[in-house]
Amino acid sequence: MSVLMKGMDVVNAMKETLITRAEKLKEKGVTPCLTIVRVGSRPDDLSYERGAKKRMESVGITCHVVELPEDISQEKFEQEFQRVNDDPDVHGILLFRPLPKHLDEEPVKNMLNPQKDIDCMTPVNIAKVFAGDESGYAPCTAEAVMEMLCYHQIDLTGREVVVVGRSMVVGRPLSMMLLKKNATVTLCHTKTVDLEEICKKAEVLIAAAGKAGMITENMVGDQAVVVDVGINVDQNGNLCGDVDFEHVEPKVSYISPVPRGVGSITTSILAKHVVRAAESFVR
Ligand code: NDP
């Protein structure tokens, strides 16, 4: 029987440390503060926002939301963003993306203070992830996968790790973080030839493709560790991952569920980054 890698186990393990660090900051007169910048009211954004606010509050971080109208002009959007960026009481900024089509995110990516860029949007932090420099902030979901593997003491040194999905928010940075831990990484995508054979050889398989149930039992080696990053909706309207959990689970040593897997850890990573950012401003 496999070990179920539940997100909440990792969240609970991180909680006490975060509370202690936030309290230490408060003793120095600083309350760690996250500001979310949201343009419009997409249901996905609102749902993530609710979860993020709750998680921040649970560890003693203040969370503000700057809500901007869907039809805001580029100029006004940049002005509002700059105002948050310049606010000395704000330590971390999270901009919900994608933005409405008429807005260009490039200018704000470049104006955002990398010290406040707690979800790796700026070129500086992206470059740091790719250089294996851990002084920046990695994308929260990619780091959530690393935190989950670390919590379960899965040693990555020399292991064959396959990542399916090469996006800039998950697969690509994650592959660099795995490399930093001395894994031998194969990064797959839609043009990969013989995905099944490659996945089958993986000692650790990470699915981040956004295709419901695409990782089937014949694609997974016996006793592999399987992490499912995908968040999809199945034919019945239920949330599901990229892994065909029912058939894969009996074959593997560790597996993360969807929901209640990697997704639950993301906001704790966000909280960790906000606390670290606040600490960096205090020093
Ligand atoms: P993208 O759509 O940006 O990227 C998907 C990647 O998967 C692409 O590189 C694509 O390849 C690859 N891919 C898609 N289909 C296949 C296939 N059949 N075979 C091989 N590769 C494939 O998605 P994201 O990276 O943003 O997200 C991936 C998944 O993770 C989604 O389900 C998303 O909802 C979820 N997610 C979860 C988060 C969480 O908190 N748990 C946060 C962010 C995302 P190519 O480059 O060739 O097109």
Side-chain angles (χ1 to χ4, degrees):
M1 197 161 133
S2 64
V3 173
L4 188 65
M5 296 192 284
K6 286 186 266 173
M8 279 318 282
D9 292 341
V10 184
V11 168
N12 291 333
M14 293 174 72
K15 194 170 173 182
E16 287 312 311
T17 317
L18 287 174
I19 290 174
T20 308
R21 286 169 68 182
E23 276 169 0
K24 282 209 176 106
L25 281 162
K26 282 178 196 164
E27 282 164 17
K28 293 178 183 167
V30 174
T31 301
C33 172
L34 167 70
T35 294
I36 294 174
V37 179
R38 168 164 55 78
V39 183
S41 321
R42 291 192 325 140
D44 285 3
D45 290 347
L46 291 172
S47 151
Y48 191 85
E49 187 178 296
R50 278 192 297 275
K53 273 178 138 173
K54 216 166 127 193
R55 190 63 50 83
M56 297 310 133
E57 277 159 20
S58 75
V59 295
I61 297 172
T62 304
C63 180
H64 297 302
V65 179
V66 173
E67 188 180 350
L68 302 173
E70 172 110 42
D71 61 353
I72 192 169
S73 68
Q74 180 75 29
E75 193 189 354
K76 184 82 179 129
F77 169 59
E78 287 179 31
Q79 273 171 14
E80 290 289 340
F81 198 86
Q82 190 65 62
R83 191 179 53 76
V84 180
N85 201 28
D86 290 342
D87 185 340
D89 292 333
V90 174
H91 306 109
I93 300 174
L94 178 67
L95 171 67
F96 283 145
R97 295 179 288 167
L99 293 169
K101 284 205 167 53
H102 71 282
L103 293 179
D104 180 7
E105 68 182 33
E106 286 308 312
V108 296
K109 270 189 196 171
N110 291 307
M111 78 169 68
L112 175 57
N113 179 351
Q115 249 185 304
K116 298 188 178 189
D117 174 25
I118 38 77
D119 197 24
C120 201
M121 202 172 96
T122 58
V124 171
N125 282 329
I126 294 169
K128 282 187 175 179
V129 173
F130 279 75
D133 175 349
E134 291 174 342
S135 69
Y137 298 100
C140 292
T141 303
E143 193 170 324
V145 173
M146 299 303 289
E147 193 81 38
M148 178 179 262
L149 293 171
C150 176
Y151 175 83
H152 289 279
Q153 296 177 356
I154 291 160
D155 183 14
L156 293 163
T157 305
R159 308 282 295 269
E160 295 277 350
V161 182
V162 171
V163 179
V164 184
R166 59 175 164 181
S167 77
M168 280 301 285
V169 283
V170 192
R172 232 176 264 227
L174 178 57
S175 66
M176 292 297 127
M177 295 163 88
L178 292 159
L179 195 59
K180 172 79 180 168
K181 297 288 178 201
N182 297 312
T184 302
V185 185
T186 305
L187 186 54
C188 301
H189 44 81
T190 53
K191 307 290 182 288
T192 298
V193 175
D194 215 350
L195 185 66
E196 183 176 324
E197 279 310 307
I198 294 171
C199 289
K200 213 188 277 178
K201 287 192 188 124
E203 296 176 274
V204 179
L205 176 62
I206 300 168
K211 291 279 170 299
M214 69 164 283
I215 304 293
T216 51
E217 101 196 73
N218 55 329
M219 295 172 81
V220 178
D222 288 336
Q223 298 307 307
V225 173
V226 177
V227 180
D228 194 350
V229 183
I231 300 177
N232 314 292
V233 179
D234 68 14
Q235 309 95 307
N236 306 319
N238 298 318
L239 280 189
C240 71
D242 289 355
V243 177
D244 174 3
F245 187 91
E246 187 191 343
H247 296 104
V248 167
E249 189 272 333
K251 277 188 85 172
V252 299
S253 56
Y254 291 80
I255 187 164
S256 71
V258 177
R260 291 181 282 280
V262 172
S264 330
I265 306 171
T266 314
T267 48
S268 289
I269 302 293
L270 197 63
K272 183 168 126 184
H273 287 180
V274 176
V275 167
R276 184 148 75 83
E279 288 167 347
S280 79
F281 282 102
V282 168
R283 273 182 209 127

